Amino acid sequence: MDVQMPVMDGYEATRRIRSELGLTLPVIAMTANAMVGDREKSLHCGMNDHVAKPIDPQHLFRTLMRWLVPGRSSGGEEALPYPLEKVVVNEPLPGLPGLDWTLALQRCAGNRELLERLLRRFAVDQAEVLASIEEKWRRGEREEAIRLAHTLKGLAGSIGAEPLREATFHLEQALTEGCEILHPLFEGVKGHLVPLLTALSCLPEVASSACEVPTGGVSELTGLLHSLQEPLQARQPKACHPLVERLEAKEWPPEWRVRVNQLVKTIRKYRFKEASQELNELLRAAADP
């Protein structure tokens, strides 16, 4: 249970699960930081356990086993019933400033392919994040600005970019407290984020997953977009997922690339209404001779 969900946070959701639905299923809190009191607050509202982000896979698996495997003790560090993939730290991607390759692999359970996918997505999704945060803050959309900073902080932790995560933590905290002097904090985040994004954009193996990316044409794009219409309108993320994967797997013509990437980002944020609008705009543009 993510305790920092928008609209209704995880604490309130758990209280209602217990009081209104009367369910006794295990609920495990997931928080963005291992702050003093997080565990106690989680237990007080009816949760059973607590894990902190960035996620340590071994700790996560042990916590899940503690509550889902019959007969497991609620204390101690039980041995996993299967070995985690050994983390191989040789041959890291070169020239990624502020990224701890060993730590990043640990947080991906040693899965280099997963880490490279996360880096690719990070480079696309966070390219304009600082400008977006500043714009939302200026326009008075403070909750959205805080959410964007929170997301950046979590992603930085997931990819082992600890200096960026730390700088973004301080920015998020200042935004939450409504501080007026934010420029130094924005500059601090920028000092870590921009060099990392620049380095990621210069690594063809990250952009192409170490292989040539197949090119897609307009007719193939419109076919995929048409296939996405119904599951988007029905808000069915499982049905959308394979189609989104196919959209990401191709290198689309330059005039479509940015808009397709934006559509993918919107879908992955579960903003289905907004994604449907973007999709329909793409289809109209494709049909325009």
Side-chain angles (χ1 to χ4, degrees), residues 71-212:
R72 287 278 170 181
S73 168
S74 61
E77 291 294 320
E78 302 90 342
L80 294 173
Y82 54 88
L84 288 176
E85 183 177 348
K86 184 179 180 181
V87 175
V88 179
V89 298
N90 59 322
E91 298 184 3
L93 293 175
L96 298 180
L99 192 147
D100 185 327
W101 186 255
T102 301
L103 180 60
L105 276 174
Q106 287 175 347
R107 289 175 178 167
C108 292
N111 189 330
R112 180 185 176 118
E113 182 180 348
L114 170 61
L115 175 56
E116 292 192 14
R117 286 204 306 270
L118 289 176
L119 290 171
R120 289 200 304 274
R121 189 173 299 170
F122 181 89
V124 173
D125 290 353
Q126 303 304 305
E128 304 296 332
V129 66
L130 274 183
S132 297
I133 294 173
E134 290 184 284
E135 179 185 3
K136 297 294 184 184
W137 190 259
R138 283 197 304 269
R139 292 168 56 178
E141 300 176 26
R142 298 198 167 191
E143 289 188 4
E144 181 65 10
I146 294 169
R147 186 193 67 79
L148 290 172
H150 179 76
T151 299
L152 174 60
K153 179 188 69 178
L155 293 174
S158 297
I159 62 172
E162 286 299 294
L164 174 60
R165 188 193 66 80
E166 182 70 16
T168 311
F169 166 77
H170 293 298
L171 174 61
E172 181 193 7
Q173 191 173 44
L175 294 173
T176 303
E177 294 172 356
C179 294
E180 296 183 2
I181 302 176
L182 295 172
H183 180 72
L185 296 172
F186 274 108
E187 288 298 308
V189 175
K190 183 178 180 180
H192 296 295
L193 178 61
V194 171
L196 179 58
L197 290 175
T198 301
L200 288 173
S201 70
C202 295
L203 287 172
E205 61 265 39
V206 173
S208 63
S209 190
C211 63
E212 185 176 353

Side-chain angles (χ1 to χ4, degrees), residues 59-78:
H59 176 63
L60 173 63
F61 296 155
R62 288 193 175 99
T63 303
L64 291 173
M65 287 172 56
R66 188 174 302 149
W67 296 103
L68 298 180
V69 179
R72 287 278 170 181
S73 168
S74 61
E77 291 294 320
E78 302 90 342

